[in-house]
Amino acid sequence: MGKGPALALLLAGPALSLPNMLVIGTIMGVKKTATFCTIIVILSTIAGVVYGTFFG
């Protein structure tokens, strides 16, 4: 695995775990939780691509 995809996996993994999403969904609601998950996926992908491009 390259360094960029590994970074994206390490950034998104803990934030998108099922227990974490259930707690966030209980506290913030389903719509905000979906937005949170979408933002996590997009930003971790961007970080992985940038890191893989410059440092990989």
mmCIF file of all heavy atoms in Angstrom:
data_model
loop_
_atom_site.group_PDB
_atom_site.id
_atom_site.type_symbol
_atom_site.label_atom_id
_atom_site.label_comp_id
_atom_site.label_asym_id
_atom_site.label_seq_id
_atom_site.Cartn_x
_atom_site.Cartn_y
_atom_site.Cartn_z
ATOM 1 N N MET A 1 0.843 -1.172 0.000
ATOM 2 C CA MET A 1 0.000 0.000 0.000
ATOM 3 C C MET A 1 0.886 1.233 0.000
ATOM 4 O O MET A 1 1.880 1.300 0.720
ATOM 5 C CB MET A 1 -0.915 -0.013 1.231
ATOM 6 C CG MET A 1 -1.801 1.202 1.347
ATOM 7 S SD MET A 1 -2.869 1.179 2.795
ATOM 8 C CE MET A 1 -4.221 0.229 2.174
ATOM 9 N N GLY A 2 0.506 2.215 -0.789
ATOM 10 C CA GLY A 2 1.245 3.463 -0.838
ATOM 11 C C GLY A 2 1.050 4.294 0.417
ATOM 12 O O GLY A 2 0.151 4.050 1.230
ATOM 13 N N LYS A 3 1.880 5.308 0.546
ATOM 14 C CA LYS A 3 1.804 6.160 1.736
ATOM 15 C C LYS A 3 0.543 7.022 1.748
ATOM 16 O O LYS A 3 -0.036 7.266 2.806
ATOM 17 C CB LYS A 3 3.037 7.050 1.814
ATOM 18 C CG LYS A 3 4.303 6.292 2.093
ATOM 19 C CD LYS A 3 5.488 7.237 2.171
ATOM 20 C CE LYS A 3 6.766 6.463 2.426
ATOM 21 N NZ LYS A 3 7.932 7.353 2.462
ATOM 22 N N GLY A 4 0.097 7.480 0.581
ATOM 23 C CA GLY A 4 -1.104 8.307 0.509
ATOM 24 C C GLY A 4 -2.363 7.551 0.919
ATOM 25 O O GLY A 4 -3.117 8.020 1.781
ATOM 26 N N PRO A 5 -2.621 6.371 0.303
ATOM 27 C CA PRO A 5 -3.795 5.614 0.734
ATOM 28 C C PRO A 5 -3.728 5.167 2.196
ATOM 29 O O PRO A 5 -4.762 5.115 2.877
ATOM 30 C CB PRO A 5 -3.796 4.402 -0.202
ATOM 31 C CG PRO A 5 -3.067 4.853 -1.412
ATOM 32 C CD PRO A 5 -2.044 5.816 -0.914
ATOM 33 N N ALA A 6 -2.533 4.870 2.675
ATOM 34 C CA ALA A 6 -2.395 4.482 4.088
ATOM 35 C C ALA A 6 -2.771 5.643 5.002
ATOM 36 O O ALA A 6 -3.456 5.454 6.012
ATOM 37 C CB ALA A 6 -0.965 4.019 4.365
ATOM 38 N N LEU A 7 -2.340 6.843 4.646
ATOM 39 C CA LEU A 7 -2.691 8.018 5.446
ATOM 40 C C LEU A 7 -4.197 8.246 5.432
ATOM 41 O O LEU A 7 -4.797 8.507 6.483
ATOM 42 C CB LEU A 7 -1.974 9.260 4.928
ATOM 43 C CG LEU A 7 -2.331 10.557 5.644
ATOM 44 C CD1 LEU A 7 -1.800 10.541 7.070
ATOM 45 C CD2 LEU A 7 -1.812 11.749 4.887
ATOM 46 N N ALA A 8 -4.824 8.127 4.270
ATOM 47 C CA ALA A 8 -6.266 8.317 4.179
ATOM 48 C C ALA A 8 -7.006 7.286 5.026
ATOM 49 O O ALA A 8 -7.985 7.607 5.708
ATOM 50 C CB ALA A 8 -6.713 8.235 2.723
ATOM 51 N N LEU A 9 -6.537 6.049 5.003
ATOM 52 C CA LEU A 9 -7.164 4.995 5.810
ATOM 53 C C LEU A 9 -7.013 5.281 7.301
ATOM 54 O O LEU A 9 -7.962 5.129 8.077
ATOM 55 C CB LEU A 9 -6.542 3.645 5.471
ATOM 56 C CG LEU A 9 -7.052 2.438 6.252
ATOM 57 C CD1 LEU A 9 -8.501 2.160 5.872
ATOM 58 C CD2 LEU A 9 -6.200 1.225 5.984
ATOM 59 N N LEU A 10 -5.829 5.717 7.711
ATOM 60 C CA LEU A 10 -5.597 6.003 9.127
ATOM 61 C C LEU A 10 -6.377 7.223 9.606
ATOM 62 O O LEU A 10 -6.781 7.301 10.770
ATOM 63 C CB LEU A 10 -4.106 6.195 9.387
ATOM 64 C CG LEU A 10 -3.261 4.928 9.294
ATOM 65 C CD1 LEU A 10 -1.778 5.281 9.391
ATOM 66 C CD2 LEU A 10 -3.642 3.947 10.373
ATOM 67 N N LEU A 11 -6.596 8.189 8.722
ATOM 68 C CA LEU A 11 -7.373 9.363 9.109
ATOM 69 C C LEU A 11 -8.870 9.059 9.186
ATOM 70 O O LEU A 11 -9.554 9.512 10.099
ATOM 71 C CB LEU A 11 -7.140 10.504 8.108
ATOM 72 C CG LEU A 11 -5.790 11.200 8.166
ATOM 73 C CD1 LEU A 11 -5.661 12.173 7.001
ATOM 74 C CD2 LEU A 11 -5.609 11.924 9.480
ATOM 75 N N ALA A 12 -9.371 8.295 8.233
ATOM 76 C CA ALA A 12 -10.807 8.059 8.161
ATOM 77 C C ALA A 12 -11.261 6.906 9.046
ATOM 78 O O ALA A 12 -12.412 6.886 9.490
ATOM 79 C CB ALA A 12 -11.213 7.788 6.711
ATOM 80 N N GLY A 13 -10.397 5.956 9.309
ATOM 81 C CA GLY A 13 -10.795 4.755 10.038
ATOM 82 C C GLY A 13 -11.418 5.004 11.398
ATOM 83 O O GLY A 13 -12.549 4.590 11.654
ATOM 84 N N PRO A 14 -10.726 5.682 12.294
ATOM 85 C CA PRO A 14 -11.304 5.902 13.633
ATOM 86 C C PRO A 14 -12.546 6.794 13.608
ATOM 87 O O PRO A 14 -13.471 6.599 14.384
ATOM 88 C CB PRO A 14 -10.186 6.592 14.407
ATOM 89 C CG PRO A 14 -8.944 6.267 13.673
ATOM 90 C CD PRO A 14 -9.332 6.109 12.232
ATOM 91 N N ALA A 15 -12.579 7.758 12.699
ATOM 92 C CA ALA A 15 -13.717 8.678 12.657
ATOM 93 C C ALA A 15 -14.967 8.005 12.106
ATOM 94 O O ALA A 15 -16.083 8.415 12.428
ATOM 95 C CB ALA A 15 -13.370 9.893 11.810
ATOM 96 N N LEU A 16 -14.793 6.989 11.269
ATOM 97 C CA LEU A 16 -15.941 6.350 10.628
ATOM 98 C C LEU A 16 -16.253 4.967 11.189
ATOM 99 O O LEU A 16 -16.918 4.173 10.539
ATOM 100 C CB LEU A 16 -15.708 6.264 9.118
ATOM 101 C CG LEU A 16 -15.595 7.608 8.409
ATOM 102 C CD1 LEU A 16 -15.315 7.395 6.931
ATOM 103 C CD2 LEU A 16 -16.837 8.435 8.606
ATOM 104 N N SER A 17 -15.779 4.683 12.385
ATOM 105 C CA SER A 17 -16.116 3.401 12.991
ATOM 106 C C SER A 17 -17.592 3.392 13.397
ATOM 107 O O SER A 17 -18.193 4.440 13.662
ATOM 108 C CB SER A 17 -15.237 3.140 14.215
ATOM 109 O OG SER A 17 -15.548 4.053 15.231
ATOM 110 N N LEU A 18 -18.180 2.218 13.423
ATOM 111 C CA LEU A 18 -19.603 2.099 13.730
ATOM 112 C C LEU A 18 -19.963 2.645 15.116
ATOM 113 O O LEU A 18 -20.929 3.417 15.238
ATOM 114 C CB LEU A 18 -20.061 0.652 13.579
ATOM 115 C CG LEU A 18 -21.540 0.393 13.815
ATOM 116 C CD1 LEU A 18 -22.382 1.196 12.840
ATOM 117 C CD2 LEU A 18 -21.846 -1.079 13.709
ATOM 118 N N PRO A 19 -19.216 2.314 16.175
ATOM 119 C CA PRO A 19 -19.577 2.891 17.489
ATOM 120 C C PRO A 19 -19.503 4.415 17.501
ATOM 121 O O PRO A 19 -20.363 5.082 18.086
ATOM 122 C CB PRO A 19 -18.548 2.292 18.442
ATOM 123 C CG PRO A 19 -18.069 1.057 17.776
ATOM 124 C CD PRO A 19 -18.136 1.327 16.303
ATOM 125 N N ASN A 20 -18.502 4.954 16.826
ATOM 126 C CA ASN A 20 -18.360 6.406 16.769
ATOM 127 C C ASN A 20 -19.545 7.040 16.032
ATOM 128 O O ASN A 20 -20.098 8.045 16.479
ATOM 129 C CB ASN A 20 -17.048 6.776 16.092
ATOM 130 C CG ASN A 20 -16.756 8.253 16.174
ATOM 131 O OD1 ASN A 20 -17.216 8.922 17.078
ATOM 132 N ND2 ASN A 20 -16.006 8.752 15.214
ATOM 133 N N MET A 21 -19.948 6.438 14.919
ATOM 134 C CA MET A 21 -21.066 6.985 14.158
ATOM 135 C C MET A 21 -22.382 6.879 14.935
ATOM 136 O O MET A 21 -23.232 7.767 14.844
ATOM 137 C CB MET A 21 -21.191 6.293 12.808
ATOM 138 C CG MET A 21 -20.121 6.723 11.824
ATOM 139 S SD MET A 21 -20.434 6.202 10.148
ATOM 140 C CE MET A 21 -20.344 4.438 10.295
ATOM 141 N N LEU A 22 -22.560 5.808 15.706
ATOM 142 C CA LEU A 22 -23.781 5.673 16.509
ATOM 143 C C LEU A 22 -23.857 6.741 17.596
ATOM 144 O O LEU A 22 -24.919 7.316 17.837
ATOM 145 C CB LEU A 22 -23.848 4.277 17.124
ATOM 146 C CG LEU A 22 -24.088 3.130 16.149
ATOM 147 C CD1 LEU A 22 -23.974 1.799 16.876
ATOM 148 C CD2 LEU A 22 -25.423 3.271 15.462
ATOM 149 N N VAL A 23 -22.732 7.008 18.241
ATOM 150 C CA VAL A 23 -22.709 8.036 19.286
ATOM 151 C C VAL A 23 -22.955 9.409 18.677
ATOM 152 O O VAL A 23 -23.754 10.200 19.187
ATOM 153 C CB VAL A 23 -21.373 8.003 20.060
ATOM 154 C CG1 VAL A 23 -21.226 9.215 20.956
ATOM 155 C CG2 VAL A 23 -21.267 6.726 20.858
ATOM 156 N N ILE A 24 -22.282 9.704 17.579
ATOM 157 C CA ILE A 24 -22.466 11.001 16.931
ATOM 158 C C ILE A 24 -23.904 11.140 16.434
ATOM 159 O O ILE A 24 -24.505 12.210 16.536
ATOM 160 C CB ILE A 24 -21.448 11.182 15.785
ATOM 161 C CG1 ILE A 24 -20.053 11.317 16.367
ATOM 162 C CG2 ILE A 24 -21.773 12.404 14.943
ATOM 163 C CD1 ILE A 24 -18.960 11.355 15.334
ATOM 164 N N GLY A 25 -24.456 10.053 15.890
ATOM 165 C CA GLY A 25 -25.845 10.096 15.437
ATOM 166 C C GLY A 25 -26.828 10.343 16.555
ATOM 167 O O GLY A 25 -27.827 11.038 16.383
ATOM 168 N N THR A 26 -26.549 9.791 17.723
ATOM 169 C CA THR A 26 -27.416 10.011 18.881
ATOM 170 C C THR A 26 -27.341 11.458 19.364
ATOM 171 O O THR A 26 -28.347 12.062 19.714
ATOM 172 C CB THR A 26 -27.017 9.075 20.032
ATOM 173 O OG1 THR A 26 -27.081 7.730 19.563
ATOM 174 C CG2 THR A 26 -27.936 9.237 21.222
ATOM 175 N N ILE A 27 -26.157 12.014 19.351
ATOM 176 C CA ILE A 27 -25.962 13.370 19.876
ATOM 177 C C ILE A 27 -26.384 14.434 18.865
ATOM 178 O O ILE A 27 -27.094 15.380 19.208
ATOM 179 C CB ILE A 27 -24.482 13.569 20.279
ATOM 180 C CG1 ILE A 27 -24.147 12.663 21.451
ATOM 181 C CG2 ILE A 27 -24.202 15.026 20.620
ATOM 182 C CD1 ILE A 27 -22.684 12.615 21.801
ATOM 183 N N MET A 28 -25.960 14.282 17.614
ATOM 184 C CA MET A 28 -26.151 15.353 16.636
ATOM 185 C C MET A 28 -27.323 15.137 15.686
ATOM 186 O O MET A 28 -27.742 16.079 15.014
ATOM 187 C CB MET A 28 -24.869 15.526 15.816
ATOM 188 C CG MET A 28 -23.726 16.042 16.624
ATOM 189 S SD MET A 28 -22.135 16.213 15.795
ATOM 190 C CE MET A 28 -22.489 16.399 14.109
ATOM 191 N N GLY A 29 -27.794 13.919 15.547
ATOM 192 C CA GLY A 29 -28.865 13.655 14.601
ATOM 193 C C GLY A 29 -28.324 13.003 13.337
ATOM 194 O O GLY A 29 -27.121 13.051 13.052
ATOM 195 N N VAL A 30 -29.226 12.429 12.571
ATOM 196 C CA VAL A 30 -28.821 11.641 11.403
ATOM 197 C C VAL A 30 -28.276 12.522 10.286
ATOM 198 O O VAL A 30 -27.263 12.200 9.660
ATOM 199 C CB VAL A 30 -30.021 10.802 10.891
ATOM 200 C CG1 VAL A 30 -29.661 10.049 9.637
ATOM 201 C CG2 VAL A 30 -30.489 9.846 11.969
ATOM 202 N N LYS A 31 -28.915 13.649 10.029
ATOM 203 C CA LYS A 31 -28.489 14.514 8.918
ATOM 204 C C LYS A 31 -27.088 15.083 9.154
ATOM 205 O O LYS A 31 -26.247 15.082 8.254
ATOM 206 C CB LYS A 31 -29.495 15.642 8.742
ATOM 207 C CG LYS A 31 -29.294 16.447 7.496
ATOM 208 C CD LYS A 31 -30.428 17.436 7.302
ATOM 209 C CE LYS A 31 -30.213 18.249 6.049
ATOM 210 N NZ LYS A 31 -31.301 19.214 5.838
ATOM 211 N N LYS A 32 -26.823 15.550 10.364
ATOM 212 C CA LYS A 32 -25.499 16.093 10.673
ATOM 213 C C LYS A 32 -24.446 14.993 10.696
ATOM 214 O O LYS A 32 -23.293 15.228 10.340
ATOM 215 C CB LYS A 32 -25.526 16.832 12.003
ATOM 216 C CG LYS A 32 -26.277 18.144 11.933
ATOM 217 C CD LYS A 32 -26.270 18.858 13.263
ATOM 218 C CE LYS A 32 -27.094 20.128 13.197
ATOM 219 N NZ LYS A 32 -27.154 20.807 14.492
ATOM 220 N N THR A 33 -24.825 13.797 11.106
ATOM 221 C CA THR A 33 -23.894 12.675 11.092
ATOM 222 C C THR A 33 -23.515 12.299 9.664
ATOM 223 O O THR A 33 -22.349 12.023 9.378
ATOM 224 C CB THR A 33 -24.492 11.464 11.815
ATOM 225 O OG1 THR A 33 -24.808 11.846 13.149
ATOM 226 C CG2 THR A 33 -23.534 10.297 11.836
ATOM 227 N N ALA A 34 -24.483 12.301 8.767
ATOM 228 C CA ALA A 34 -24.193 12.017 7.358
ATOM 229 C C ALA A 34 -23.272 13.080 6.774
ATOM 230 O O ALA A 34 -22.340 12.762 6.016
ATOM 231 C CB ALA A 34 -25.490 11.938 6.559
ATOM 232 N N THR A 35 -23.505 14.328 7.129
ATOM 233 C CA THR A 35 -22.631 15.409 6.672
ATOM 234 C C THR A 35 -21.221 15.235 7.231
ATOM 235 O O THR A 35 -20.232 15.401 6.504
ATOM 236 C CB THR A 35 -23.201 16.775 7.104
ATOM 237 O OG1 THR A 35 -24.526 16.893 6.609
ATOM 238 C CG2 THR A 35 -22.349 17.913 6.595
ATOM 239 N N PHE A 36 -21.128 14.891 8.507
ATOM 240 C CA PHE A 36 -19.828 14.654 9.141
ATOM 241 C C PHE A 36 -19.067 13.538 8.422
ATOM 242 O O PHE A 36 -17.880 13.688 8.116
ATOM 243 C CB PHE A 36 -20.037 14.303 10.612
ATOM 244 C CG PHE A 36 -18.803 13.872 11.334
ATOM 245 C CD1 PHE A 36 -17.864 14.797 11.746
ATOM 246 C CD2 PHE A 36 -18.576 12.530 11.615
ATOM 247 C CE1 PHE A 36 -16.719 14.398 12.418
ATOM 248 C CE2 PHE A 36 -17.445 12.116 12.279
ATOM 249 C CZ PHE A 36 -16.512 13.058 12.684
ATOM 250 N N CYS A 37 -19.741 12.436 8.139
ATOM 251 C CA CYS A 37 -19.093 11.307 7.464
ATOM 252 C C CYS A 37 -18.644 11.679 6.061
ATOM 253 O O CYS A 37 -17.555 11.292 5.624
ATOM 254 C CB CYS A 37 -20.035 10.108 7.422
ATOM 255 S SG CYS A 37 -20.367 9.406 9.041
ATOM 256 N N THR A 38 -19.470 12.438 5.366
ATOM 257 C CA THR A 38 -19.103 12.882 4.023
ATOM 258 C C THR A 38 -17.870 13.777 4.055
ATOM 259 O O THR A 38 -16.952 13.621 3.245
ATOM 260 C CB THR A 38 -20.284 13.632 3.379
ATOM 261 O OG1 THR A 38 -21.428 12.788 3.383
ATOM 262 C CG2 THR A 38 -19.957 14.055 1.964
ATOM 263 N N ILE A 39 -17.836 14.695 4.994
ATOM 264 C CA ILE A 39 -16.680 15.592 5.119
ATOM 265 C C ILE A 39 -15.426 14.806 5.464
ATOM 266 O O ILE A 39 -14.344 15.076 4.916
ATOM 267 C CB ILE A 39 -16.967 16.695 6.156
ATOM 268 C CG1 ILE A 39 -18.015 17.656 5.605
ATOM 269 C CG2 ILE A 39 -15.694 17.441 6.538
ATOM 270 C CD1 ILE A 39 -18.527 18.661 6.628
ATOM 271 N N ILE A 40 -15.529 13.826 6.358
ATOM 272 C CA ILE A 40 -14.377 13.006 6.729
ATOM 273 C C ILE A 40 -13.833 12.260 5.516
ATOM 274 O O ILE A 40 -12.626 12.223 5.272
ATOM 275 C CB ILE A 40 -14.745 12.016 7.859
ATOM 276 C CG1 ILE A 40 -15.039 12.758 9.150
ATOM 277 C CG2 ILE A 40 -13.628 10.988 8.077
ATOM 278 C CD1 ILE A 40 -13.862 13.493 9.728
ATOM 279 N N VAL A 41 -14.715 11.670 4.729
ATOM 280 C CA VAL A 41 -14.285 10.917 3.549
ATOM 281 C C VAL A 41 -13.602 11.839 2.546
ATOM 282 O O VAL A 41 -12.521 11.521 2.024
ATOM 283 C CB VAL A 41 -15.485 10.179 2.909
ATOM 284 C CG1 VAL A 41 -15.128 9.645 1.543
ATOM 285 C CG2 VAL A 41 -15.963 9.070 3.808
ATOM 286 N N ILE A 42 -14.193 12.987 2.287
ATOM 287 C CA ILE A 42 -13.622 13.914 1.296
ATOM 288 C C ILE A 42 -12.273 14.455 1.758
ATOM 289 O O ILE A 42 -11.292 14.441 0.998
ATOM 290 C CB ILE A 42 -14.617 15.064 1.014
ATOM 291 C CG1 ILE A 42 -15.830 14.512 0.271
ATOM 292 C CG2 ILE A 42 -13.952 16.176 0.216
ATOM 293 C CD1 ILE A 42 -16.970 15.501 0.147
ATOM 294 N N LEU A 43 -12.194 14.911 2.994
ATOM 295 C CA LEU A 43 -10.947 15.517 3.468
ATOM 296 C C LEU A 43 -9.826 14.483 3.637
ATOM 297 O O LEU A 43 -8.662 14.784 3.357
ATOM 298 C CB LEU A 43 -11.187 16.266 4.776
ATOM 299 C CG LEU A 43 -12.015 17.545 4.640
ATOM 300 C CD1 LEU A 43 -12.200 18.219 6.001
ATOM 301 C CD2 LEU A 43 -11.371 18.512 3.669
ATOM 302 N N SER A 44 -10.151 13.281 4.076
ATOM 303 C CA SER A 44 -9.108 12.270 4.203
ATOM 304 C C SER A 44 -8.621 11.820 2.828
ATOM 305 O O SER A 44 -7.430 11.550 2.649
ATOM 306 C CB SER A 44 -9.585 11.076 5.025
ATOM 307 O OG SER A 44 -10.637 10.413 4.372
ATOM 308 N N THR A 45 -9.516 11.781 1.846
ATOM 309 C CA THR A 45 -9.103 11.454 0.481
ATOM 310 C C THR A 45 -8.188 12.530 -0.081
ATOM 311 O O THR A 45 -7.153 12.225 -0.685
ATOM 312 C CB THR A 45 -10.336 11.280 -0.422
ATOM 313 O OG1 THR A 45 -11.164 10.257 0.110
ATOM 314 C CG2 THR A 45 -9.932 10.924 -1.837
ATOM 315 N N ILE A 46 -8.548 13.781 0.125
ATOM 316 C CA ILE A 46 -7.703 14.885 -0.347
ATOM 317 C C ILE A 46 -6.343 14.843 0.339
ATOM 318 O O ILE A 46 -5.298 15.005 -0.313
ATOM 319 C CB ILE A 46 -8.404 16.239 -0.115
ATOM 320 C CG1 ILE A 46 -9.595 16.365 -1.060
ATOM 321 C CG2 ILE A 46 -7.440 17.401 -0.309
ATOM 322 C CD1 ILE A 46 -10.488 17.561 -0.768
ATOM 323 N N ALA A 47 -6.323 14.622 1.637
ATOM 324 C CA ALA A 47 -5.052 14.547 2.365
ATOM 325 C C ALA A 47 -4.201 13.388 1.859
ATOM 326 O O ALA A 47 -2.978 13.529 1.691
ATOM 327 C CB ALA A 47 -5.300 14.402 3.856
ATOM 328 N N GLY A 48 -4.811 12.252 1.586
ATOM 329 C CA GLY A 48 -4.075 11.095 1.057
ATOM 330 C C GLY A 48 -3.508 11.349 -0.313
ATOM 331 O O GLY A 48 -2.374 10.985 -0.605
ATOM 332 N N VAL A 49 -4.281 12.003 -1.183
ATOM 333 C CA VAL A 49 -3.793 12.308 -2.525
ATOM 334 C C VAL A 49 -2.641 13.306 -2.478
ATOM 335 O O VAL A 49 -1.614 13.135 -3.141
ATOM 336 C CB VAL A 49 -4.952 12.846 -3.400
ATOM 337 C CG1 VAL A 49 -4.429 13.435 -4.698
ATOM 338 C CG2 VAL A 49 -5.958 11.750 -3.689
ATOM 339 N N VAL A 50 -2.799 14.347 -1.666
ATOM 340 C CA VAL A 50 -1.741 15.351 -1.557
ATOM 341 C C VAL A 50 -0.475 14.730 -0.973
ATOM 342 O O VAL A 50 0.633 14.942 -1.483
ATOM 343 C CB VAL A 50 -2.220 16.545 -0.706
ATOM 344 C CG1 VAL A 50 -1.064 17.475 -0.339
ATOM 345 C CG2 VAL A 50 -3.305 17.309 -1.448
ATOM 346 N N TYR A 51 -0.620 13.964 0.093
ATOM 347 C CA TYR A 51 0.548 13.338 0.717
ATOM 348 C C TYR A 51 1.201 12.350 -0.235
ATOM 349 O O TYR A 51 2.436 12.295 -0.343
ATOM 350 C CB TYR A 51 0.129 12.646 2.012
ATOM 351 C CG TYR A 51 1.317 12.102 2.799
ATOM 352 C CD1 TYR A 51 2.074 12.954 3.592
ATOM 353 C CD2 TYR A 51 1.674 10.762 2.746
ATOM 354 C CE1 TYR A 51 3.149 12.484 4.304
ATOM 355 C CE2 TYR A 51 2.752 10.283 3.448
ATOM 356 C CZ TYR A 51 3.482 11.141 4.232
ATOM 357 O OH TYR A 51 4.566 10.678 4.926
ATOM 358 N N GLY A 52 0.389 11.567 -0.932
ATOM 359 C CA GLY A 52 0.939 10.590 -1.877
ATOM 360 C C GLY A 52 1.647 11.259 -3.046
ATOM 361 O O GLY A 52 2.632 10.734 -3.565
ATOM 362 N N THR A 53 1.159 12.407 -3.476
ATOM 363 C CA THR A 53 1.763 13.124 -4.595
ATOM 364 C C THR A 53 3.109 13.738 -4.201
ATOM 365 O O THR A 53 4.087 13.627 -4.953
ATOM 366 C CB THR A 53 0.818 14.247 -5.087
ATOM 367 O OG1 THR A 53 -0.414 13.652 -5.479
ATOM 368 C CG2 THR A 53 1.430 14.994 -6.266
ATOM 369 N N PHE A 54 3.167 14.375 -3.055
ATOM 370 C CA PHE A 54 4.388 15.087 -2.686
ATOM 371 C C PHE A 54 5.401 14.256 -1.919
ATOM 372 O O PHE A 54 6.592 14.479 -2.039
ATOM 373 C CB PHE A 54 4.025 16.330 -1.868
ATOM 374 C CG PHE A 54 3.322 17.376 -2.674
ATOM 375 C CD1 PHE A 54 2.017 17.731 -2.392
ATOM 376 C CD2 PHE A 54 3.962 17.997 -3.743
ATOM 377 C CE1 PHE A 54 1.360 18.691 -3.134
ATOM 378 C CE2 PHE A 54 3.313 18.959 -4.497
ATOM 379 C CZ PHE A 54 2.013 19.304 -4.201
ATOM 380 N N PHE A 55 4.945 13.306 -1.123
ATOM 381 C CA PHE A 55 5.860 12.562 -0.262
ATOM 382 C C PHE A 55 5.918 11.074 -0.571
ATOM 383 O O PHE A 55 6.667 10.337 0.059
ATOM 384 C CB PHE A 55 5.481 12.748 1.211
ATOM 385 C CG PHE A 55 5.477 14.190 1.631
ATOM 386 C CD1 PHE A 55 4.278 14.850 1.863
ATOM 387 C CD2 PHE A 55 6.655 14.883 1.774
ATOM 388 C CE1 PHE A 55 4.261 16.162 2.240
ATOM 389 C CE2 PHE A 55 6.645 16.207 2.142
ATOM 390 C CZ PHE A 55 5.454 16.866 2.374
ATOM 391 N N GLY A 56 5.092 10.594 -1.477
ATOM 392 C CA GLY A 56 5.028 9.164 -1.760
ATOM 393 C C GLY A 56 5.992 8.779 -2.799
ATOM 394 O O GLY A 56 6.573 7.833 -3.042
#
